[in-house]
Amino acid sequence: MIVVAPNTVLNPAALETRQVPKKMFRRVAVLPRRAGFATWARIVFDVQILRYLVALAPFVVAMLIWPRLAFPIAQAPILMVLLVGLVEMKMLRVSKDGRADLIDEDAAARGLDTLRFRARSILTRLAARKELSEHRLHLVIEQSELARVPPLTLVSVQLDGPDPQLLPLDADEQRLIRDELFGGALTERELLRINLREDVFLRDVALEARGVSAHARLAALMERAPAAEHAQ
């Protein structure tokens, strides 16, 4: 999971938006400030043109090994298209008929209920921490639709209002999302199965900031107090 915010990516200008929820896959290059090799490899793998080039690599290798065959190989675009289609549609994705077998309808419904419950809990705490009292907060969870590789999940907190934006998140707020959103029965892989079944890869859970209780705001104030004392 990558928590996406203006202060967690190398290209914050790419996160500017005119409407919420903002869709990122195939529209925005997410470049996290801190990520390991595996995360970067997964991000690169999601770039479609790069996957095409990898799929076509055998043709390039064949032309280098047998230069006399370079012209005939270059004149075989149908084979290239078929190979790319095989990799993209058969190896990396699940057919429409196979999606229903990934998870049953009741389990999918329970998973989405859990996601909404956890997302609203996170949004409540974030709204209280940030002392937001108006407009609508959105927790946006977007996943890559590639099925046979590790899930790639982008999570952001977006504010709907006169100035729609992705909110910056401090270290504690990022940790809250990482610790509370996935776990137990609802993992990133489980959510991907649900998304593949329903062919929906962006989940948006909203919360009116004005609806956050005084109790939640007081709890957030008490959470911040020890951190502030420690910082001093």
Side-chain angles (χ1 to χ4, degrees), residues 34-52:
R34 296 180 180 179
F37 175 79
T39 300
W40 275 111
R42 182 62 186 84
I43 291 172
V44 170
F45 190 80
D46 218 69
V47 179
Q48 196 171 50
I49 186 62
L50 296 180
R51 293 201 307 274
Y52 289 175

Side-chain angles (χ1 to χ4, degrees), residues 111-213:
L112 291 177
D113 285 344
T114 299
L115 181 71
R116 285 189 287 267
F117 176 81
R118 293 180 182 179
R120 289 182 64 84
S121 175
I122 291 169
L123 288 174
T124 297
R125 293 173 65 180
L126 289 177
R129 282 181 59 90
K130 292 182 175 297
E131 300 181 354
L132 297 173
S133 58
E134 58 182 7
H135 308 312
R136 179 177 293 182
L137 274 175
H138 296 253
L139 191 68
V140 181
I141 306 104
E142 189 176 1
Q143 286 191 311
S144 166
E145 62 188 59
L146 300 182
R148 305 189 190 281
V149 290
L152 179 59
T153 309
L154 307 180
V155 180
S156 60
V157 179
Q158 305 184 16
L159 181 66
D160 195 2
D163 181 26
Q165 58 182 294
L166 274 73
L167 294 180
L169 301 167
D170 64 30
D172 288 335
E173 292 163 348
Q174 294 174 46
R175 190 178 303 110
L176 170 64
I177 294 173
R178 295 184 189 280
D179 291 347
E180 301 293 334
L181 186 57
F182 293 111
L186 182 64
T187 62
E188 289 183 62
R189 174 62 70 180
E190 185 75 359
L191 179 60
L192 181 58
R193 292 191 187 98
I194 296 171
N195 289 342
L196 287 166
R197 175 188 172 88
E198 299 190 355
D199 198 23
V200 176
F201 297 92
L202 187 148
R203 302 290 176 176
D204 173 23
V205 181
L207 176 75
E208 292 289 346
R210 68 173 65 93
V212 177
S213 68

